[in-house]
Amino acid sequence: MRPADKEIERVIQDMAFQAGPETNQRVWGDMRKAHEQTHAKTATPTGSRLRRQIMRNPRIRWAAAALIAVAALLSISLWDKSASTAYALEQTIEASRSIRYLEMRDFQAGMDEPKKFWLEFDDAGQILKMRVEMPAWDSPHDGPKVSILQGGKATVWFKAKKALTTIKEESFANRMMEVVRMLDPQLFLRHFSEWEKAGLAQIQIDQPADQAEPITVTCTKTPQGRNAGFSDRIVLLVDQATKLVATIEKYQATSGGGYELSARTEFYTYNEPFAPGLFTFDDVPADVMRVDQTTQEVGLDQGDLSDQQVAVQVVREFFEAMSAKDYAKAGRLMGGMPATWIAEKLGQIEFVRIVSIGEPQSNPTPRGTDFTVPCEVEIQGNGGQSMHDSSRVRVRQVPNQPGRWMISGGI
Amino acid sequence: MLEDELLKLRFRAGSIEALQRIYEKYRDSLLTLAMALLNDAATAEDVVHDVFVSFAQSGNKFSLHGNLRAFLATCVANRARDQIRARKRHGQALDDQTPLESDFDPPDERVLSDERSRLVARALARLPEEQRETIALHLKGQLKLREIARLQKVPLTTIRGRYRHGIERLRSLLNGKL
């Protein structure tokens, strides 16, 4: 095998993904239940036992410690290590509070198009309006999409799927804020401190005498931090005049001992409002399917049913509706999808009967518990022959409509 | 591996600590394998979840005389293959066209990685399925090519060819990007 092929093999061998805290919690939680059921134990994990379980994972422990340390961190000038270095962490944090209009562009190596964000804040630092443009590479599942958040509603234009979906704001806003938060320079600065304390990284600050040059805050992994879940080197460029972070650069170590740029986020702040058209969907084509969950009743009311029972009931009523060709009802149970769309996608399939609906499997998420419901239905093909089709239907609460449940995928 | 032999014995005897140790030992490597095969965090997470839960359910019926790592990697590959075929069978799965379930989880929270790993996963996703599975199982699942040949039910020479062509294709896809 050629040397270049050996290099490719090494690159693949070095590829590493790690389970985040939510994944870890979900998988281990279900494993433990399965184990207990198999061994006929009825003990239910207590909160304290679960906490011990979570804290045993060093990655989660680091994240928790980072959160706890934030308040203390803000009062400490960590890297003001010499009289000549005037820059300190809290200067950037303080300056960030005055931002009213912010644009961000997040570039990834090998990708031409960046993710783009426009945010307008009020005097208290709360988001008034947000526009997010995500290219297709960010989410192959969704394709390219544009999201606008304002006035109590969140609207997402799925360009490839030709759909414009409006939902109530809260949970969607939280998820979008999480994406923005991961690019927040303040988050990086807090992490730098924790990583340095843990011996995972070394921090260096360079403040040029020329005020036109940016301050450079460089975070480089130590050998101890080799397998930690952050880039080998992260560089923040801070504007000396405003003390605001202008750029975040992420680097990967190369085999030659150097570093290669892998991602770059640019920040632009403005003194004037954005153009009003930035937060509207005036350019959405007329043939785009529009789904508005804020103006119609979607999903199934839970009533007195338990979460597991309503998950099963949603799946049952969906297939019964399909069998009766009640596409309007089927669409409502799928979160407000138009009947015409359901008919187009599924109308050629003859749903004969439900063969079985299995025990729903719970999937904890930050927004609450979703379920995966295994089921089998009998369908008839074009030639009239019967066949059984198995699915794992995903069921969740309608966003910001507690007590109403819908099918979110898996059909 | 001696530790794995002891863990298998203890797991079979009902030890939850053994189950936990197996999970912690293989969780991330299996997730990486699933990402290499699927390049989709949500589906990879589901696959790994199902493999481990099924493993936990096997309890005292569990009987394995071979390599535990290879066994779990094979389980991941089988379920990943099911996912891929389900997508193909339905043309495009309905939820691929349903705009309401957005894959909008923050990229660094659910499945953690660095940019290079994501870049490699994207490149692998562009290989034909058989080449991708062969490379992922050999380099991430640590299966021998002979074991992969048995899994894919093809001759060893075919597997060698898939591996070689896959590596060549990856070389051109990743050229200059790493």
Side-chain angles (χ1 to χ4, degrees):
Chain A
M1 186 163 276
R2 289 176 280 186
D5 291 346
K6 287 285 182 197
E7 175 66 19
I8 294 296
E9 285 185 328
R10 190 190 65 76
V11 162
I12 297 169
Q13 282 164 338
D14 285 348
M15 186 171 80
F17 290 83
Q18 288 135 350
E22 295 160 21
T23 300
N24 201 41
Q25 189 173 347
R26 175 193 165 212
V27 177
W28 176 244
D30 288 350
M31 283 176 71
R32 195 177 49 246
K33 281 184 210 154
H35 180 269
E36 287 169 359
Q37 283 164 4
T38 299
H39 293 276
K41 285 182 186 169
T42 57
T44 304
T46 64
S48 61
R49 182 175 164 190
L50 190 60
R51 272 197 297 281
R52 284 201 300 278
Q53 198 59 54
I54 290 172
M55 292 307 285
R56 209 169 287 152
N57 182 326
R59 180 169 302 285
I60 299 169
R61 187 164 61 235
W62 159 73
L67 287 171
I68 292 166
V70 160
L73 189 64
L74 289 176
S75 65
I76 296 171
S77 177
L78 286 174
W79 302 309
D80 193 4
K81 291 177 182 162
S82 73
S84 62
T85 305
Y87 173 69
L89 164 66
E90 55 266 26
Q91 289 177 293
T92 289
I93 294 175
E94 187 58 38
S96 299
R97 294 195 181 114
S98 65
I99 295 174
R100 288 293 303 278
Y101 308 99
L102 176 67
E103 179 183 343
M104 303 182 340
R105 296 193 172 215
D106 186 45
F107 296 85
Q108 299 288 324
M111 301 298 165
D112 291 329
E113 227 183 314
K115 301 180 210 175
K116 300 176 191 170
F117 305 82
W118 292 262
L119 298 94
E120 181 178 326
F121 300 89
D122 64 14
D123 291 338
Q126 298 300 308
I127 293 180
L128 283 174
K129 300 175 191 174
M130 182 196 297
R131 178 185 177 102
V132 180
E133 291 182 8
M134 292 292 197
W137 58 260
D138 176 70
S139 177
H141 177 85
D142 286 346
K145 56 183 183 271
V146 179
S147 309
I148 291 176
L149 187 73
Q150 69 169 336
K153 292 185 181 182
T155 305
V156 184
W157 177 19
F158 296 85
K159 291 185 167 184
K161 297 180 182 180
K162 291 191 176 179
L164 188 72
T165 304
T166 304
I167 62 174
K168 288 187 182 175
E169 176 186 353
E170 188 181 327
S171 67
F172 185 76
N174 290 339
R175 280 184 285 164
M176 291 174 75
M177 273 312 300
E178 276 303 301
V179 176
V180 172
R181 189 183 72 83
M182 297 307 294
L183 298 172
D184 184 353
Q186 297 181 52
L187 185 72
F188 283 91
L189 292 171
R190 289 168 189 148
H191 282 173
F192 286 1
S193 167
E194 289 301 316
W195 295 336
E196 188 179 48
K197 277 187 195 168
L200 302 176
Q202 281 180 330
I203 311 300
Q204 182 177 331
I205 297 181
D206 294 304
Q207 185 171 10
D210 182 354
Q211 293 286 304
E213 293 295 315
I215 300 165
T216 307
V217 181
T218 303
C219 170
T220 306
K221 268 185 184 173
T222 61
Q224 185 183 342
R226 185 178 64 244
N227 294 321
F230 56 91
S231 298
D232 295 325
R233 173 171 284 177
I234 303 171
V235 177
L236 269 58
L237 300 177
V238 181
D239 182 274
Q240 291 218 49
T242 63
K243 297 297 185 291
L244 293 172
V245 173
T247 309
I248 298 174
E249 294 175 344
K250 296 179 186 176
Y251 293 83
Q252 296 298 328
T254 64
S255 55
Y259 292 90
E260 189 173 59
L261 184 67
S262 61
R264 178 187 176 90
T265 305
E266 298 170 349
F267 300 85
Y268 307 91
T269 55
Y270 299 92
N271 295 325
E272 294 174 356
F274 296 118
L278 192 65
F279 299 107
T280 65
F281 277 116
D282 293 340
D283 54 341
V284 172
D287 65 341
V288 165
M289 176 181 65
R290 288 153 201 264
V291 178
D292 191 336
Q293 291 187 347
T294 65
T295 57
Q296 60 172 316
E297 209 167 60
V298 300
L300 183 70
D301 182 43
Q302 184 165 0
D304 294 327
L305 298 177
S306 68
D307 292 354
Q308 287 84 349
Q309 287 171 334
V310 73
V312 168
Q313 191 61 21
V314 169
V315 173
R316 184 184 307 284
E317 291 203 18
F318 174 81
F319 284 116
E320 286 174 351
M322 289 304 301
S323 183
K325 298 194 191 306
D326 186 350
Y327 300 134
K329 180 174 180 182
R332 284 197 301 275
L333 290 171
M334 283 200 82
M337 302 301 289
T340 50
W341 187 87
I342 297 286
E344 180 192 332
K345 299 300 177 190
L346 293 174
Q348 74 279 13
I349 300 173
E350 200 69 34
F351 286 87
V352 177
R353 68 184 178 104
I354 298 168
V355 176
S356 67
I357 299 179
E359 186 76 20
Q361 292 154 9
S362 61
N363 309 318
T365 73
R367 58 175 179 249
T369 299
D370 294 355
F371 291 95
T372 301
V373 184
C375 58
E376 196 173 325
V377 295
E378 184 180 336
I379 60 176
Q380 234 171 38
N382 287 338
Q385 74 279 21
S386 277
M387 61 188 86
H388 286 197
D389 189 70
S390 298
S391 298
R392 290 167 60 87
V393 181
R394 295 199 293 278
V395 178
R396 56 167 288 181
Q397 293 206 58
V398 178
N400 279 296
Q401 296 187 34
R404 299 197 69 84
W405 292 74
M406 58 176 266
I407 288 173
S408 59
I411 299 292
Chain B
M1 188 183 302
L2 183 60
E3 187 198 14
D4 280 5
E5 293 305 314
L6 291 171
L7 285 172
K8 284 191 293 186
L9 276 170
R10 288 174 57 209
F11 168 65
R12 194 147 178 251
S15 166
I16 192 165
E17 286 78 18
L19 175 64
Q20 185 190 345
R21 175 64 189 133
I22 291 169
Y23 169 64
E24 289 175 352
K25 185 174 180 182
Y26 291 113
R27 171 193 59 214
D28 289 344
S29 62
L30 293 181
L31 188 62
T32 303
L33 173 61
M35 281 296 293
L37 292 168
L38 296 162
N39 190 33
D40 180 84
T43 313
E45 182 188 323
D46 281 347
V47 161
V48 170
H49 169 276
D50 291 353
V51 165
F52 273 119
V53 169
S54 179
F55 180 77
Q57 284 169 338
S58 62
N60 57 8
K61 295 196 205 66
F62 177 69
S63 169
L64 174 67
H65 298 291
N67 185 292
L68 180 58
R69 174 195 287 277
F71 166 75
L72 292 171
T74 303
C75 291
V76 167
N78 285 336
R79 286 183 191 262
R81 210 179 299 124
D82 290 344
Q83 289 285 340
I84 293 167
R85 283 179 191 161
R87 281 186 216 160
K88 286 183 188 164
R89 191 169 58 240
H90 293 295
Q92 188 178 21
L94 192 61
D95 60 351
D96 284 346
Q97 302 182 56
T98 306
L100 302 172
E101 179 69 5
S102 175
D103 190 14
F104 215 164
D105 289 301
D108 290 345
E109 291 282 339
R110 185 175 53 191
V111 175
L112 304 166
S113 67
D114 54 27
E115 283 82 10
R116 181 193 284 248
S117 293
R118 288 197 286 272
L119 183 67
V120 174
R122 285 197 288 270
L124 278 165
R126 294 174 66 174
L127 295 182
E129 184 188 340
E130 297 83 10
Q131 291 178 8
R132 181 171 67 245
E133 184 178 279
T134 301
I135 289 171
L137 282 174
H138 185 54
L139 295 177
K140 298 311 298 182
Q142 298 185 20
L143 265 66
K144 297 185 176 53
L145 293 182
R146 192 175 304 279
E147 291 171 311
I148 301 170
R150 267 202 301 273
L151 184 68
Q152 292 188 8
K153 299 186 175 62
V154 296
L156 180 58
T157 48
T158 304
I159 290 297
R160 287 192 180 126
R162 286 176 181 174
Y163 185 80
R164 187 174 63 251
H165 292 133
I167 292 290
E168 283 171 6
R169 175 92 176 112
L170 280 174
R171 192 175 66 245
S172 71
L173 286 170
L174 292 169
N175 186 32
K177 291 191 170 66
L178 293 173

